[in-house]
Amino acid sequence: MSCLSPVDPGLRSQKIGQKVPIVVNKIMEQVRDTQLEIAADPASSRWQQWGRRWSQIVAIAIALNLLCVFFNLTYVPLRQIYLRYVPAVVEIYDPIKGIAPHPITQDYLADIAALRSAVNDAGLANPKINFILTDLRHQSTTLVVENPFLASGQFTTFAKLKRKIQDFTGINSADRAFQTFWQSDYLQATGWPQADTFIAAKLEPLLQQNYFRQTLPTGQFVDEFWRLDIFFVGFFGVELLLRTWMISRQHSEISWAIALARRWYELPLILPFWRWLRVLPLAVRLHRTQLFNVENLIGQVTHEPAAYLSDRVSKFALVQLVNQTQSSVRDGTLLTAWQSEQAYTRIGDPEKLDQITDRLVQLIVLQVMPMVKPDLEQLLRHSLRQALLGGDMYHSLRQLPGFAALPGEALNGVADYLAQASCDVLAHSYADAEGRMLLERLSHDFRQALGQALQAQTHSEELPRLVSDLLEELKVNYIQRSDQADPRETLQEVDALDQRTQSNRSL
């Protein structure tokens, strides 16, 4: 009895079911061994913990620096808010931005303070009031004509100031409204308490918002934020150099320059301009250190561009693949390119095709044939029965006594013998050195004959044309279907698969 006996499918599935726990146990043993190795090397574990903690510290430092950058970028537009609610911040940060009180509005505010002091001392009958009111009228004319708010770009503030004085006096001209307001008769008729309340609540806050900003010889505004940012830049620069140097030392195939090039996204940390781009290394560091999961945020931000970009890339990749295949089919190098020594680039063992064929033959002879032996027996039995029953001799011999039951038993025996013999012959031929050489020769001659047949005149013209047309048809239909489909829906499916994968990992 041959060793190549048929295998019951139920028994095979039972064996597979028995092997699954064994494989799982081996994986768990490898995980435990890895954990034991880490535990056995406390120095390596401590270094990994220190490295993780250091990365988290750097990520927090980048976040703090980015907050300072955004505060610096938004300080000037939000200065009036800081001035109203936290004036101490304005006093500290104005010198850093080169902001100083505007001389015209400051003199105007000083005269208002002098007027308020004089009225509080002796009332509107004070002789000094007329001089102060005259000065305020002249300054009002200068204020309206020269518009000191123009330098700081506060057009709306200046327009609001003119509208307030016009609404209070009921005069449409801002210059005449100021001239009327700063009259002692008008102040007496209106009442100083009401006028002072209007000045303190409506005029002074708008005048205090104005400022003068210093400029450099190049015409740019003064910004001394670099004096604060230079400490962060120095820290980030040293950290980047040390980290890339350690990477180049740990991996000999990576040079220091290559390690720096791979960390290109951290360059905004050391650049004195475009500081807002530091949000990119911050997102990468937060994600790597697991301080904050920004993958979902990045996915939502890049959802629309990624959808259309991926659609364009997939179309380009498919068209390029089909075009290269069509070119190989037209040139007749699709099946012969691997045989060329010059035009074909080989990777690894040059005899890999023969090795693949050898593995396939070994798999078919030793594993596949025994499994399909029952099917082969049934096929041979059916073929022999049909051949025997279809002959004229069988109809003549069937009339003999006892011959009617003989074909079934004989056919079963012959079919079993042929199936077993086929398996045995293939197995013995493959195991025998000479038989194996004959099988290899048969495989080689088969490939050669197939290649020659495909390159024949009758096939070399028709087959490439048919295959090229088929590829062109697939390409056109794919592009048409992809144009009809919405890439955003495809990207949503990809996101759903990613979320499912992440949930499975968490379990």
Side-chain angles (χ1 to χ4, degrees):
M1 186 175 181
S2 174
C3 61
L4 300 176
S5 59
V7 179
D8 185 23
L11 181 60
R12 184 168 65 253
S13 62
Q14 183 179 1
K15 290 182 178 180
I16 294 175
Q18 293 175 355
K19 290 181 179 179
V20 170
I22 298 175
V23 174
V24 174
N25 291 333
K26 289 183 178 180
I27 295 175
M28 296 302 297
E29 290 178 359
Q30 292 178 357
V31 173
R32 285 194 295 269
D33 294 340
T34 304
Q35 292 177 351
L36 291 176
E37 290 178 359
I38 294 175
D41 190 6
S44 176
S45 178
R46 285 197 301 269
W47 276 111
Q48 291 180 358
Q49 292 179 359
W50 276 106
R52 188 180 301 108
R53 293 288 183 270
W54 175 253
S55 298
Q56 292 176 350
I57 292 173
V58 174
I60 294 173
I62 297 175
L64 293 176
N65 177 249
L66 196 60
L67 289 176
C68 295
V69 169
F70 285 144
F71 173 79
N72 181 70
L73 292 175
T74 59
Y75 175 77
V76 174
L78 301 179
R79 181 179 177 272
Q80 56 182 352
I81 299 177
Y82 299 137
L83 182 63
R84 177 177 299 179
Y85 298 104
V86 279
V89 174
V90 176
E91 294 179 1
I92 296 174
Y93 211 77
D94 270 358
I96 296 178
K97 302 296 288 185
I99 294 177
H102 199 284
I104 294 179
T105 52
Q106 283 301 113
D107 293 342
Y108 204 94
L109 290 171
D111 286 344
I112 291 176
L115 175 64
R116 183 180 290 114
S117 177
V119 173
N120 292 334
D121 291 340
L124 292 175
N126 193 333
K128 297 181 180 179
I129 291 179
N130 292 328
F131 296 101
I132 299 175
L133 291 176
T134 302
D135 193 15
L136 283 172
R137 288 194 295 270
H138 289 299
Q139 291 191 36
S140 297
T141 302
T142 304
L143 184 72
V144 174
V145 173
E146 296 186 4
N147 185 9
F149 293 85
L150 183 62
S152 58
Q154 300 185 75
F155 306 101
T156 57
T157 304
F158 183 62
K160 189 182 298 184
L161 178 66
K162 293 192 295 182
R163 187 173 64 253
K164 295 293 183 181
I165 193 65
Q166 290 173 5
D167 294 341
F168 186 81
T169 59
I171 301 175
N172 293 330
S173 173
D175 189 19
R176 288 191 293 108
F178 276 115
Q179 299 298 324
T180 302
F181 183 80
W182 298 121
Q183 295 284 345
S184 59
D185 296 339
Y186 182 83
L187 294 177
Q188 289 177 357
T190 305
W192 172 249
Q194 183 179 356
D196 186 44
T197 302
F198 169 75
I199 294 172
K202 303 299 182 181
L203 297 184
E204 285 184 324
L206 297 176
L207 292 170
Q208 290 172 356
Q209 293 180 16
N210 190 31
Y211 59 85
F212 174 79
R213 192 169 181 184
Q214 302 175 3
T215 57
L216 298 173
T218 57
Q220 297 176 335
F221 290 115
V222 172
D223 191 350
E224 302 291 336
F225 178 73
W226 64 270
R227 297 184 183 274
L228 174 63
D229 190 55
I230 193 172
F231 296 101
F232 289 99
V233 171
F235 172 75
F236 296 145
V238 173
E239 195 273 340
L240 176 62
L241 293 177
L242 291 178
R243 182 179 291 271
T244 52
W245 178 76
M246 291 178 63
I247 292 175
S248 63
R249 291 295 300 270
Q250 293 175 357
H251 304 278
S252 57
E253 71 278 4
I254 300 177
S255 64
W256 198 355
I258 294 178
L260 283 171
R262 291 183 178 181
R263 295 272 177 168
W264 61 269
Y265 55 87
E266 294 191 4
L267 290 179
L269 295 175
I270 59 177
L271 295 178
F273 49 86
W274 296 344
R275 298 185 179 98
W276 57 270
L277 287 177
R278 295 174 187 178
V279 68
L280 177 62
L282 175 62
V284 175
R285 289 296 186 100
L286 289 178
H287 185 62
R288 282 185 175 179
T289 58
Q290 298 180 353
L291 286 175
F292 181 70
N293 188 6
V294 297
E295 186 172 356
N296 187 26
L297 177 61
I298 295 176
Q300 297 301 324
V301 171
T302 61
H303 183 81
E304 293 288 336
Y308 292 100
L309 181 61
S310 60
D311 183 60
R312 297 284 295 177
V313 171
S314 63
K315 290 180 182 179
F316 175 81
L318 178 68
V319 171
Q320 187 177 27
L321 176 62
V322 172
N323 290 339
Q324 291 182 0
T325 307
Q326 286 178 321
S327 177
S328 300
V329 170
R330 295 192 189 99
D331 298 341
T333 59
L334 182 62
L335 298 177
T336 60
W338 61 274
Q339 297 177 346
S340 177
E341 296 293 338
Q342 297 179 354
Y344 190 76
T345 302
R346 300 184 182 275
I347 299 175
D349 192 349
E351 303 297 333
K352 62 176 69 64
L353 187 59
D354 295 336
Q355 294 181 4
I356 293 174
T357 305
D358 181 71
R359 296 294 184 274
L360 292 177
V361 172
Q362 183 180 5
L363 184 65
I364 293 172
V365 172
L366 299 180
Q367 298 184 18
V368 176
M369 289 297 293
M371 293 181 181
V372 300
K373 181 181 176 183
D375 299 331
L376 182 61
E377 291 176 352
Q378 293 180 3
L379 178 61
L380 292 174
R381 188 180 298 114
H382 174 75
S383 300
L384 291 174
R385 181 181 292 110
Q386 292 298 113
L388 182 59
L389 295 179
D392 297 336
M393 185 178 295
Y394 174 76
H395 293 287
S396 301
L397 295 176
R398 190 176 182 181
Q399 299 176 358
L400 297 176
F403 190 81
L406 180 61
E409 299 177 357
L411 290 176
N412 292 337
V414 172
D416 294 342
Y417 174 76
L418 290 177
Q420 185 65 37
S422 300
C423 295
D424 292 341
V425 168
L426 290 175
H428 293 160
S429 298
Y430 191 80
D432 181 56
E434 185 177 358
R436 185 171 183 175
M437 182 181 64
L438 294 175
L439 287 175
E440 291 178 354
R441 183 183 301 173
L442 175 62
S443 175
H444 180 270
D445 293 341
F446 176 79
R447 293 196 305 269
Q448 293 290 337
L450 178 62
Q452 292 176 2
L454 292 175
Q455 293 178 0
Q457 182 66 26
T458 56
H459 302 292
S460 61
E461 297 179 358
E462 182 180 7
L463 286 179
R465 178 179 56 81
L466 293 175
V467 175
S468 179
D469 293 342
L470 177 61
L471 292 173
E472 184 68 22
E473 180 180 341
L474 293 175
K475 179 175 66 176
V476 172
N477 285 275
Y478 174 82
I479 297 298
Q480 290 178 351
R481 288 194 301 267
S482 62
D483 289 338
Q484 296 174 0
D486 189 357
R488 292 175 294 184
E489 296 181 357
T490 306
L491 190 60
Q492 289 178 358
E493 295 180 4
V494 174
D495 294 339
L497 292 175
D498 290 339
Q499 293 177 1
R500 187 181 305 172
T501 303
Q502 292 178 2
S503 61
N504 293 334
R505 289 178 180 176
S506 62
L507 294 178

